[in-house]
Amino acid sequence: MHIEKTAIPEVLLIKPRVFEDERGFFLESFNQRQFEHALGKQVSFVQDNHSRSKKGVLRGLHYQIKQPQGKLVRVVQGEVLDVAVDLRCSSPTFGHWVSARLSAENKMQMWLPQGFAHGFVVLSDTAEFVYKATDYYAPEFERAIRWDDPDLAIDWQYEALPDLSKKDQQAISFASAEYYR
Ligand SMILES: Cc1cn([C@H]2C[C@H](O)[C@@H](COP(=O)(O)OP(=O)(O)O[C@H]3O[C@H](C)C(=O)[C@H](O)[C@H]3O)O2)c(=O)[nH]c1=O
């Protein structure tokens, strides 16, 4: 697998090795040994998630203030713009965001460690989004920051107004959010 750094050093883009033949393709979507070698430390995942969304759906920006989750995310159908926002107070990239287009086509994955808010917007007619998390879902600790927060000024590369859940419609501003100390 090929690892690409992003403008936030701890957020990585991972391109798995793809074996194509006349039948189609094969790839290892996760290999513990290779992943830990790339990160230079041990990481364990406890939960796999899978969501399907229509074009224009934006899920995010979400994080768990306690039991923070590192996420290894990828798209198995369609295309999304995936975004990670650094919420670690002590980080030199605090309040910065990075984005990447993840698609079934490019098979690109993004690794965002604990300390980040995460979201994506669907750019294709539909998208199936699958990801591994380093801790369990804990709704009592879940927080949401507005996708269109003016201080973050995220370029979602999506021209129309996105389709948001009730929870995301009620998300709060970056300035009033809780951060990771
Ligand atoms: C996240 C999650 C949700 N759920 C249940 C709770 C709700 O009844 C239903 C939909 O949940 P929600 O609307 O919070 O799903 P998303 O909007 O896709 O939330 C996710 O969106 C962004 C992209 C993230 O990075 C997070 O993993 C997560 O917050 O699934 C569970 O049972 N387990 C879970 O881990």
Side-chain angles (χ1 to χ4, degrees), residues 155-175:
D155 176 7
W156 290 94
Q157 300 178 24
Y158 183 71
E159 298 317 313
L161 268 181
D163 180 0
L164 305 173
S165 65
K166 276 262 168 302
K167 174 179 72 176
D168 291 346
Q169 290 171 27
Q170 293 154 6
I172 62 172
S173 67
F174 173 72

Side-chain angles (χ1 to χ4, degrees), residues 47-49 51 53 58-64 69 71 73 82 112 117-120 129 131 133 136-139 142-143 165 167-168:
Q47 186 175 314
D48 278 3
N49 295 335
S51 67
S53 309
L58 192 154
R59 296 178 186 250
L61 296 154
H62 302 159
Y63 62 107
Q64 293 186 167
Q69 296 172 305
K71 294 166 189 165
V73 306
D82 201 71
L112 47 145
H118 175 243
F120 65 85
F129 193 84
Y131 54 111
Y136 294 104
Y137 175 56
E142 203 178 33
R143 303 293 184 270
S165 65
K167 174 179 72 176
D168 291 346

Side-chain angles (χ1 to χ4, degrees), residues 77-166:
Q77 185 276 316
E79 181 178 34
V80 309
L81 186 86
D82 201 71
V83 174
V85 182
D86 192 347
L87 299 182
R88 302 166 302 174
C89 283
S90 58
S91 163
T93 53
F94 173 68
H96 295 199
W97 55 273
V98 289
S99 66
R101 282 185 176 228
L102 309 181
S103 68
E105 195 59 35
N106 67 23
K107 302 177 178 60
M108 188 79 82
Q109 303 179 7
M110 185 189 278
W111 160 248
L112 47 145
Q114 293 88 331
F116 287 79
H118 175 243
F120 65 85
V121 66
V122 177
L123 304 174
S124 49
D125 289 341
T126 59
E128 301 227 5
F129 193 84
V130 294
Y131 54 111
K132 307 177 84 66
T134 60
D135 212 325
Y136 294 104
Y137 175 56
E140 68 276 26
F141 298 136
E142 203 178 33
R143 303 293 184 270
I145 293 174
R146 288 192 60 81
W147 66 280
D148 59 349
D149 184 89
D151 293 330
L152 295 176
I154 294 169
D155 176 7
W156 290 94
Q157 300 178 24
Y158 183 71
E159 298 317 313
L161 268 181
D163 180 0
L164 305 173
S165 65
K166 276 262 168 302

